[in-house]
Structures are given as C-alpha cells and as structure tokens.
Amino acid sequence: MKVGDTAFRSIWVESATGEVRIIDQRWLPHEFRVVSLKTLDEFATAIRDMWVRGAPLIGATAAYGMAIEMARDPSDASLDHAWEVLHETRPTAINLRWALDDMRGLLSPLAPAARADAAIRRAHAVADEDVETNRRIGLHGLEIIREIARSKPKGEPVNILTHCNAGWLATVDWGTATSPMYQAVEAGLDIHVWVDETRPRNQGAQLTAWEMNSHGISHRLIVDNAGGHMMQHGQVDMVIVGTDRTTASGDVCNKIGTYLKALAARDNDVPFYVALPSSTIDWTVNDGVREIPIEERDDGEVTKVFGKLDDGSVASVQISPDGTRGANPAFDVTPARLVTGLITERGVAEASREGLLKLFPERRTAA
Ligand SMILES: CSC[C@H]1O[C@H](OP(=O)(O)O)[C@H](O)[C@@H]1O
C-alpha cells in the first residue's frame, strides 16, 4: 500500500543488492524503519520478536529466510536446519508451517546446486500469490460491505469493528481484514472503522490506526473492552477480523480478545466475519480450542507498554507494580458457531467443514 507517495510491500527484495528488506513494525507508528535481513538467525529473530508479524507475512518471511539460507549452504542438512530454526520461532500461525513445508517440498528433490535459484523464485511467488489472494479476499468482502451499505440510511457510513492488525502490514500487501475496507473505499463506499487497540502489544493502536491514517480511512481508536458497548448501542454494523489458523471445521484462532468480540457480536446480532487466505486453513485440525497451540509470550508485554514520550522519543514504560507478574496468551479460539462467514480468495464460506469444502473441493478426501 502507499506510504505517503511511495508504494510499499511489507517485505521485498532490494533489486540493487538482492537483500531482503522489511518494515520493522516494532517502531510504528512513531518511526518508519526499514531493515535488511541477511542471515537465517536474523530472519528467525525478526519473526520471533515480531519485527514482522501476521500469519501471511510470517509465512512469506520464512520463505525468504529459507531462500537466503539456500544461497549460503544448499545442503540437505542446511535445508532441514533452516526448517527447524524458522519453525520454532512462533507456534500458532499455520502459514509459517505451510510456507516451510512448501519450500522444503520443492527443494528436497532438487540437486543442491539448483536449490538457491529455485528457492528465491518460490519465495517471490509466495509473496506475489499473497498479494493477489488478499486482493481477491477484498473483492469478496467488498460485496458484504456493499450489501450492508444498501440497508443504511443515506449519508450514514458502514461501521466496521476490527481487532488487532490484519492489515497490509500483517501480509505482503492489501491485508486480509483490511482488504475489503480498502476495496470499499476505492469503490466509493462510505465506511468508518472502530479500531480495537488490542492489548497487550497494541497492534490495533500502533499498526491498524497507522494504516487507516495513511489511507485516509475514517476511524476511531477504542479500548478493547468498548466493543460490546458499541454493539449494544447499534454503532457496529459488522465485525471483520483476520486469523492465524482456522480449522477444517471453521474454528478461528486469532489475536487474544477476538473470542470476546464474537460473543458480543452474537449477543447483539452483529455479523462477525473472518477474512483469510486458504493458506491459513489447517485442514488437519477440527477442534480449535483443544488442538491449536496458543503462543504464550513474555509477560513483560502485559506489564509494560510502548509509546512516544513528550520529547518525541519512544520508550517502554512499566504500568504495574514491580512485583506483579503477567500472563500473556497471545491468541484465542472463536468457535465456528459464532462466525457468520469466512471470506476467502474463492468467496465467502459458511464456517463449517462442508462450507469450506464447497469452496475447496480438492480438499475433500475419500470418505
Ligand atoms: C492476517 S493475519 C493477522 C493476525 O496476526 C496477528 O497476530 P500477531 O500480530 O501476533 O502476528 C493477529 O492475530 C492478526 O489477526
């Protein structure tokens, strides 16, 4: 998407140097920092420490990490080591495993001498496919927004609530939950976005708000606990979020707090949509609550908050007593029964096995 007058992706290869470049999202919205990732360990650190984050972007970053390592050492041992190092960075987003398996499946049968070129080509393709996939998600989501707009009094915007950042910063471009928003604005529809701050790391306040500002989309930042109240008072026409792993039966694992939004949406008859590329569907899992590993992150993310000081510098400040420890599950699982629809690149699926198989019949295994 555009940053000022310049079009950006969240990850790209500098043509002059061949270096893989990323936007280091830890410093947004206060500083726009671009860094190069040059070694396998730097790629692993960037994913683990959330310089880059968001399921599709984590997958694309891992693909480029494999490619960089193949250029250094294309041996079988190096291929397996790179898979292990990158896989252990974060446990929940399935795109990481999907991308690593995709790359290793392509590279393993090749002669080592052919792996570096094949790897970088595939990494580029993973990134390009993500952009097109998200664009298509946006077109399908646009029709939902358009339908809601028809039911609104003239001059009133479609009010959309979103949680965390499932924006272009969480993908290579367009975003998943934000793609319908961008497409709606491009189609001339009037939307307003309630942006959940999304504690503890505030991806909403820091990243989604930055995206909305950069794109000139009407929005207001709200605390995570305000969403239910807004819905009770008719101020939310739809919820749209992303996901880090959706099961074959339609259970949705997403940033912590998503489940609570879904409960409030159901209680107030607000449609609750999830936007996702098919690479985020884990076809091997049915019961999301019991089977999806939930990342436990450092409790310092709960006891501290990052922001800009009055002198313009950025810092992390402690918000709780010295002796207080935190608990920090990074995701939760929304059962399929609370999901109105799954917006994929092939269309909108009912949140169920049959609903997903109608759009992805090639996944229908023999009974
Ligand atoms: C399009 S995936 C976005 C998804 O990823 C975020 O998690 P994190 O920032 O920890 O990587 C969040 O769950 C978003 O919904």
Side-chain angles (χ1 to χ4, degrees):
M1 301 309 279
K2 283 268 181 83
V3 180
D5 294 329
T6 307
F8 272 93
R9 285 183 173 186
S10 56
I11 187 170
W12 69 96
V13 174
E14 199 73 58
S15 52
T17 62
E19 288 183 357
V20 177
R21 306 276 278 170
I22 60 160
I23 298 169
D24 184 342
Q25 300 183 26
R26 294 176 297 168
W27 304 98
L28 288 173
H30 309 303
E31 296 178 20
F32 184 82
R33 291 190 187 182
V34 173
V35 297
S36 293
L37 302 178
K38 299 178 182 175
T39 67
L40 179 64
D41 284 347
E42 287 177 357
F43 277 88
T45 299
I47 295 170
R48 183 185 307 110
D49 295 349
M50 298 175 70
W51 303 10
V52 295
R53 24 67 52 202
L57 177 54
I58 288 170
T61 304
Y64 277 116
M66 289 281 262
I68 293 297
E69 188 62 0
M70 288 299 98
R72 186 192 70 82
D73 175 356
S75 67
D76 289 351
S78 171
L79 178 57
D80 290 339
H81 176 68
W83 191 100
E84 293 295 339
V85 166
L86 292 166
H87 184 254
E88 69 179 13
T89 53
R90 295 188 73 189
T92 302
I94 190 63
N95 300 60
L96 176 58
R97 174 77 184 248
W98 169 83
L100 292 173
D101 286 348
D102 179 283
M103 293 293 286
R104 188 157 66 173
L106 167 75
L107 300 172
S108 288
L110 299 180
R115 286 174 176 167
D117 185 56
I120 193 65
R121 288 175 185 274
R122 182 59 190 147
H124 287 323
V126 166
D128 290 345
E129 287 165 12
D130 183 61
V131 175
E132 176 57 14
T133 291
N134 298 331
R135 187 188 68 83
R136 292 169 183 261
I137 288 169
L139 293 175
H140 295 302
L142 165 61
E143 292 317 309
I144 297 170
I145 297 173
R146 201 191 302 276
E147 187 63 30
I148 294 172
R150 289 193 189 101
S151 70
K152 298 283 293 189
K154 192 166 176 53
E156 284 195 22
V158 175
N159 293 302
I160 303 169
L161 184 146
T162 194
H163 189 70
C164 199
N165 174 256
W168 73 268
L169 289 170
T171 68
V172 178
D173 206 343
W174 282 108
T176 55
T178 60
S179 188
M181 301 174 195
Y182 293 133
Q183 302 271 12
V185 167
E186 288 194 11
L189 295 182
D190 185 9
I191 67 170
H192 175 80
V193 181
W194 300 114
V195 177
D196 271 359
E197 62 177 346
T198 317
R199 286 281 286 142
R201 288 183 65 107
N202 294 320
Q203 288 95 321
Q206 294 178 197
L207 304 178
T208 302
W210 182 79
E211 287 194 33
M212 297 292 106
N213 264 328
S214 300
H215 216 73
I217 295 179
S218 170
H219 67 287
R220 295 289 289 272
L221 178 64
I222 59 175
V223 295
D224 292 327
N225 296 323
H229 166 78
M230 312 292 277
M231 295 181 206
Q232 282 177 325
H233 291 267
Q235 294 177 278
V236 180
D237 297 308
M238 72 183 291
V239 177
I240 182 167
V241 298
T243 173
D244 298 81
R245 187 184 309 213
T246 289
T247 71
S249 57
D251 290 348
V252 170
C253 182
N254 196 49
K255 184 53 55 195
I256 194 77
T258 303
Y259 172 44
L260 295 177
K261 287 295 137 48
L263 287 171
R266 176 52 53 87
D267 193 51
N268 292 279
D269 296 323
V270 172
F272 183 91
Y273 285 96
V274 179
L276 73 159
S278 53
S279 53
T280 308
I281 300 170
D282 184 347
W283 299 95
T284 69
V285 169
N286 275 304
D287 185 334
V289 172
R290 284 168 182 70
E291 297 182 72
I292 296 177
I294 300 298
E295 180 181 13
E296 282 284 341
R297 292 191 63 88
D298 184 87
D299 70 334
E301 295 181 351
V302 178
T303 58
K304 297 175 184 174
V305 68
F306 171 82
K308 182 165 71 172
L309 305 180
D310 292 343
D311 65 7
S313 64
V314 293
S316 178
V317 295
Q318 183 172 313
I319 60 173
S320 52
D322 290 345
T324 295
R325 294 296 310 276
N328 189 11
F331 301 96
D332 60 26
V333 175
T334 299
R337 60 182 167 80
L338 298 176
V339 178
T340 305
L342 300 170
I343 309 170
T344 77
E345 67 270 26
R346 293 189 188 178
V348 184
E350 178 189 283
S352 67
R353 170 175 289 280
E354 200 46 46
L356 285 168
L357 289 175
K358 280 180 184 164
L359 287 184
F360 301 95
E362 69 274 21
R363 290 289 181 171
R364 199 181 290 279
T365 51

